[in-house]
Amino acid sequence: MRTYAKRLWVYHRRFLRLYGLLMIGVYGVYLWHLPTPLSLLLKPLGLHSWSAGLTRASVQVMQGHFSAAWAYNPLIFPLLAFMLSYVFVFPLLPAARRQFDWENQQKGKEKAVFKS
C-alpha cells in the first residue's frame, strides 16, 4: 500500500496546482452563475447541450448530495468514474510507469551533464 500511495503522489504532485485551479474554477462558475462557452454558442440556436447542469452537479457531488447531482445532470456519474480511475488507476498502468521512468532518466541525464 505504501508503494501505491508513493506512486500516486509522485505522479500527481506535478499537477497539484492545476487540480486546485480546476476546483476553484468549478466553484466560481457555480457561485457566480457564469455561463459556459458551449451554452453561449448553443443558446441562440435554441439547442440544449449535454453538459447543461454539469458544473452544478459536480459541486453537489463535492458536497455529498448525490441525488441533487443526479437531478442536475446524470452524466456526472460516468464522468466521476472516469476521473477517479484517472487519479487512482492510471498511474499504475505500464504506459504511465514507462513515461515516468523515461522522465526520471532524462532528469538524471540532465543532472549528469550539469555535474561534469
Side-chain angles (χ1 to χ4, degrees), residues 45-108:
L45 301 174
L47 301 173
H48 296 286
S49 72
W50 53 268
S51 64
L54 200 54
T55 303
R56 294 176 192 271
S58 63
V59 170
Q60 294 300 320
V61 166
M62 285 188 248
Q63 293 175 350
H65 304 129
F66 298 107
S67 60
W70 179 268
Y72 280 120
N73 192 339
L75 183 63
I76 189 63
F77 294 107
L79 185 62
L80 184 65
F82 173 75
M83 290 178 0
L84 289 176
S85 67
Y86 174 76
V87 169
F88 293 111
V89 177
F90 182 73
L92 299 177
L93 297 177
R97 280 189 272 167
R98 279 194 305 262
Q99 178 186 5
F100 177 72
D101 291 339
W102 182 80
E103 289 173 357
N104 281 341
Q105 289 173 357
Q106 294 300 322
K107 287 180 183 177

Side-chain angles (χ1 to χ4, degrees), residues 26-52:
V26 166
Y27 266 106
V29 168
Y30 173 74
L31 291 175
W32 294 316
H33 302 285
L34 299 173
T36 59
L38 186 60
S39 66
L40 287 175
L41 292 174
L42 295 178
K43 198 171 203 174
L45 301 174
L47 301 173
H48 296 286
S49 72
W50 53 268
S51 64

